[in-house]
Amino acid sequence: MKKIAVFSLVVLFLSCAGKQNLSPSETAKLVAESFYHGDKATLKEYTTESGYANLSSIQEMFAEDKNSESNFKVVDEQKEGEVTWIKYSTSYDPNPGVFKLVKENDQWKVTHNAPKDRGPF
């Protein structure tokens, strides 16, 4: 019985730890899909406070069926110092989107793109 409890704790630890060290492109995919599918919990987990405030305020205007495929693709990825820019496409929008990602608590998070943030694209 003890072995089962220890095994369960190890599996739980590994499943929780698995999403914490995502790459910028993996994080961008989670954010794009959670944005379009209305998954506010995931959106909040992988965005900064300002990024979440910005995206959640417009999220309902872009809602898609939760079972629909995003066909998320990274078009380009550029690192500038402590910031990574991801240009991506989805089946939900004919125009590519751009996410600005920063590290927060050792985890990549999408943050708000201010108008002054030109980025590399």
Side-chain angles (χ1 to χ4, degrees):
M1 190 61 115
K2 244 183 178 178
K3 288 181 182 180
I4 293 173
V6 170
F7 177 76
S8 296
L9 286 174
V10 169
V11 169
L12 178 63
F13 173 77
L14 291 175
S15 66
C16 291
K19 287 191 175 181
Q20 291 188 9
N21 291 319
L22 298 176
S23 71
S25 58
E26 292 168 327
T27 302
K29 180 179 182 188
L30 278 174
V31 170
E33 289 177 344
S34 63
F35 173 77
Y36 285 110
H37 292 160
D39 181 354
K40 289 189 182 265
T42 301
L43 185 66
K44 189 171 189 170
E45 183 177 352
Y46 293 100
T47 55
T48 62
E49 188 175 326
S50 63
Y52 179 75
N54 182 55
L55 291 172
S56 66
S57 69
I58 60 172
Q59 187 175 32
E60 290 182 15
M61 295 187 301
F62 297 95
E64 295 287 337
D65 180 357
K66 291 182 186 203
N67 296 319
S68 62
E69 290 293 322
S70 71
N71 295 322
F72 181 91
K73 291 184 179 74
V74 173
V75 176
D76 201 354
E77 181 173 342
Q78 298 289 322
K79 186 169 179 151
E80 293 182 345
E82 299 297 312
V83 174
T84 298
W85 295 88
I86 302 287
K87 185 176 188 177
Y88 66 93
S89 67
T90 67
S91 59
Y92 307 130
D93 192 340
N95 300 314
V98 176
F99 283 142
K100 176 183 177 184
L101 292 96
V102 295
K103 275 230 173 166
E104 187 176 273
N105 297 325
D106 211 28
Q107 179 179 340
W108 286 105
K109 292 193 174 194
V110 171
T111 193
H112 176 64
N113 288 0
K116 64 180 170 108
D117 290 334
R118 293 281 177 210
F121 314 117

